[in-house]
Amino acid sequence: MKNYVFEIELKVRDYECDLQGIVNNANYQHYLEHARHEFLEQTGVNFSQLHKQGIDAMVARVEIDYKVSLTSGDRFAVRLNIAREGAKLVFFEDIYRLPDNKLCARGRVESICVQNGRLTRGELFDQLFLTYL
């Protein structure tokens, strides 16, 4: 994915690494989630307000392909793009080590929208992300 609508730079913290000295696989999902939340905040989406209205966006599926391991102190960027696939909003998120821009992980996160306990067709996604879709 070469065109991204959002990017955030982060740094690996020591406690995110395992005994091998590389970032534990589960932490990549944290990085992806943090990037999605920062993107949503930038677009003005407030999960708390939506929840109070009976609307909840939820992760339905996560796929991560690991390419190159990050290590303690590495700086990296999470770059994100979105697309609609039926009722789902799909986040395509790539993690690149900086400054060499080596692809470390490629993520695909499928999100659904539930309103008052019922699955919707995701119309809310079209309203919230019209500029990006």
Side-chain angles (χ1 to χ4, degrees):
M1 179 119 325
K2 298 196 185 209
N3 298 317
Y4 300 99
V5 297
F6 180 78
E7 176 177 330
I8 186 169
E9 290 187 17
L10 301 166
K11 182 179 177 183
V12 174
R13 296 162 288 207
D14 292 338
Y15 65 84
E16 296 169 331
C17 298
D18 58 24
L19 289 174
Q20 297 168 314
I22 60 175
V23 171
N24 180 278
N25 68 84
N27 286 309
Y28 289 88
Q29 189 165 344
H30 289 261
Y31 299 154
L32 299 179
E33 183 165 359
H34 182 69
R36 286 193 313 280
H37 281 257
E38 290 294 319
F39 167 70
L40 295 173
E41 186 176 297
Q42 173 190 290
T43 61
V45 176
N46 183 302
F47 275 118
S48 179
Q49 290 299 330
L50 289 175
H51 178 72
K52 289 176 184 175
Q53 298 169 28
I55 301 169
D56 293 296
M58 301 178 193
V59 170
R61 182 179 178 88
V62 175
E63 297 174 14
I64 302 173
D65 295 325
Y66 302 96
K67 305 293 186 181
V68 172
S69 297
L70 290 167
T71 59
S72 181
D74 281 348
R75 296 201 65 74
F76 62 95
V78 182
R79 299 174 183 153
L80 173 152
N81 206 345
I82 60 174
R84 278 294 301 270
E85 290 184 6
K88 297 178 222 165
L89 181 67
V90 181
F91 292 86
F92 298 95
E93 297 179 80
D94 297 333
I95 298 175
Y96 291 90
R97 184 178 60 208
L98 300 174
D100 65 356
N101 278 312
K102 185 76 171 174
L103 179 64
C104 296
R106 177 160 278 153
R108 175 187 166 97
V109 180
E110 298 177 2
S111 180
I112 58 168
C113 186
V114 174
Q115 186 165 8
N116 298 319
R118 300 189 69 156
L119 181 63
T120 72
R121 293 177 177 236
E123 299 90 343
L124 177 70
F125 297 141
D126 293 328
Q127 295 169 12
L128 295 177
F129 305 112
L130 178 64
T131 306
Y132 304 100
L133 294 172

